Amino acid sequence: MTYVDSSGEDEPFSRYGFLLEDDDIMATRNGGGKLDWDIENDFSPTALRKDLAILLDVFQYMIGNTDWSGVRMHNVELVHRPPTTYVTIPYDFDFSGIVNARYASPDASLPIRTVRERLFRGICPEQVGREPSEYDAIYAEFRQKKEEIYELWRNQEGLEEGRIEDKLEYLDDFFEILDDPKKIKSEMLDKCRRMGGP
């Protein structure tokens, strides 16, 4: 964005910036309304639309983010699409491994030492009535979008070449797991988050 001094004393200058969308407007744009959730209470993930809940779980794993919860509504907004659909919209990714901010570290309760280590934080499928085929459909969607995801990084202005390569290598690790059913089981689903756990 370009900043212009309305008094004319200083020359205009341009900087990268963030545009933040109001969460109520975001919810309306997504066909619903934002629900405020008391963080002292848990939301049952069984009420979430399955495909979008799995998509969120896998997306957060792809970027190496453990700083979220679809049960305690931590770093996600809960949106209700009447009459019965609930979805979670994620935000705040600075503690993810793909960003790898200098100040980022995982929660001390987690069995990882750095944010670069991935840990699947989706609720265990059997606890929320999700079938393997429902996960397979989401994995296929990520595989189909792989090149688009890579192009987002390759075409991002302002990133040094070394940082772009680092992000692509981090994504390579994710897609290597996604291409191996045994690794999906051992690296993701066997490490799922049990309801009522940390």
Side-chain angles (χ1 to χ4, degrees):
M1 60 179 56
T2 300
Y3 298 84
V4 178
D5 180 2
S6 59
S7 72
E9 292 180 17
D10 293 314
E11 291 293 316
F13 62 93
S14 297
R15 296 285 185 273
Y16 288 104
F18 293 97
L19 294 177
L20 300 178
E21 182 178 29
D22 179 83
D23 47 13
D24 287 313
I25 295 172
M26 173 278 299
T28 300
R29 180 173 53 79
N30 282 282
K34 178 181 165 293
L35 292 181
D36 290 320
W37 194 257
D38 180 353
I39 61 169
E40 296 303 315
N41 296 301
D42 290 344
F43 177 82
S44 173
T46 59
L48 294 171
R49 190 172 126 182
K50 287 183 185 182
D51 60 331
L52 296 180
I54 296 168
L55 180 68
L56 175 62
D57 293 349
V58 177
F59 169 77
Q60 297 281 29
Y61 183 76
M62 177 182 76
I63 68 170
N65 191 24
T66 58
D67 187 28
W68 70 283
S69 170
V71 175
R72 302 302 303 262
M73 295 301 124
H74 176 63
N75 286 337
V76 297
E77 293 289 357
L78 180 62
V79 173
H80 177 221
R81 292 176 176 165
T84 58
T85 302
Y86 295 87
V87 298
T88 45
I89 310 292
Y91 65 92
D92 199 1
F93 307 113
D94 61 326
F95 272 57
S96 67
I98 202 162
V99 172
N100 198 24
R102 289 186 305 275
Y103 54 81
S105 60
D107 188 281
S109 68
L110 299 177
I112 56 175
R113 292 181 296 170
T114 76
V115 295
R116 293 289 278 188
E117 294 179 70
R118 286 188 173 89
L119 179 65
F120 188 70
R121 299 292 286 154
I123 299 295
C124 295
E126 68 275 8
Q127 290 192 295
V128 284
R130 297 177 191 158
E131 298 297 324
S133 60
E134 294 172 309
Y135 285 81
D136 291 341
I138 298 301
Y139 303 149
E141 192 172 337
F142 274 89
R143 288 186 204 102
Q144 181 185 356
K145 300 281 187 183
K146 178 179 177 179
E147 279 310 308
E148 288 181 52
I149 294 168
Y150 278 59
E151 284 304 308
L152 286 172
W153 288 101
R154 291 185 185 116
N155 296 325
Q156 180 58 53
E157 287 184 35
L159 279 183
E160 300 156 1
E161 189 63 34
R163 290 183 65 83
I164 293 172
E165 287 304 313
D166 175 70
K167 308 311 176 191
L168 298 181
E169 287 175 13
Y170 194 71
L171 289 170
D172 284 343
D173 293 338
F174 166 75
F175 282 103
E176 181 181 312
I177 292 167
L178 217 58
D179 286 337
D180 185 335
K182 289 181 180 177
K183 285 186 177 179
I184 288 175
K185 183 177 185 306
S186 64
E187 298 298 316
M188 294 175 66
L189 298 181
D190 285 353
K191 297 179 181 179
C192 60
R193 183 176 182 178
R194 300 218 55 89
M195 210 109 73

